[in-house]
Amino acid sequence: MARLKGKNKIRDLLSGYSFMAPTILILGCFLLLPIGYAIYLSFHKVNLLGTVSYKFTGTANFERMIDDPRLWIALRNTVKYALIVVPAQTILSLVLASILNMKLRYRNFFRVAFYLPTVTSSAVLVLIFMWIYNSNGLLNYLLESVGLPTYNWLGDPSVALLGIMIMNIWSTAPLFMVIYLAALQDIPENLYEAADIDGANGWQKFWRITVPQLKPVTFYVVVMGIIGTFQLFDQSYIFSAGSGGPNNATLTMVLLIYQYAFKSMDMGYASALAFLLAVVIMLITLIQRLIFKEERLN
């Protein structure tokens, strides 16, 4: 009897793993193997021109980061970008979702209209905003039409990154708005009815009921926002034609990795930078998870 149960258990395990085998193979080939290969490259000096060769250098690529000024510029730009974009898009998406959750006329139309920037190609959005920020673009035309001085928005290092931030907030907030909107519709109505009986106003209901009920969704939105901002590449690349300019103002971590990997052909150091970026993202996510966990316990 025990032997029969053991055979059935083995058969069930084999059946389960056979169903999982395609997914395991795909993840292994296209996710786990590239990650392992990138870690392997980070400890080597790689020559891709002519005969491909690998020379083990130990931690030389990681030690090189300390004296790389462009790395610290890219890291500062990326952190600055995340600190501004993530809170802004989170708050804006929550506000938009709260408005669209009300019983408004034509709210289905507004839901579709607000969501349109998300389905637009990122490259197209960058080109549109570059036309807006151009010296002869829409923004300067509007300023000139009301008698205000024009400005070189694309050429000033102090505002170039801000222009990308505005574009990214405008294009990503609608996606998180939909997530918040779905979560808002799952909040039980009896909580608001009980608050009405207690005499709570709209702000008190929002702050005391809506926001606490949305904490798991907010955690997801913030984590995904940070991951997205730390992986910023295409907007910065198109905006600066791959240079990270003007004066490294739009240089981000992923763009720097691209430059070292495919322009300087320094694949080993680029892999080390990618490994550093992954560690930073994981640490930030872990810290956020601990913070949200403490809030739930409190």
Side-chain angles (χ1 to χ4, degrees), residues 126-148:
V126 176
L127 294 176
I128 292 173
F129 273 82
M130 286 181 69
W131 169 71
I132 294 174
Y133 295 141
N134 196 281
S135 298
N136 299 321
L138 178 63
L139 184 56
N140 277 342
Y141 173 78
L142 294 176
L143 292 174
E144 189 176 10
S145 63
V146 296
L148 295 176

Side-chain angles (χ1 to χ4, degrees), residues 38 42 65 253 257 268-281:
S42 65
M65 297 178 188
M253 283 294 297
I257 293 170
Y269 185 56
S271 299
L273 290 175
F275 182 77
L276 171 66
L277 179 61
V279 170
V280 170
I281 293 175

Side-chain angles (χ1 to χ4, degrees), residues 2 43 71 77 84 87 98 113 117 161 223 230 273 275-276 289 293:
F43 293 97
L71 167 61
N77 290 341
I84 295 176
S98 300
L161 186 62
V223 169
F230 270 81
L273 290 175
F275 182 77
L276 171 66
R289 186 167 185 175
K293 183 178 180 180

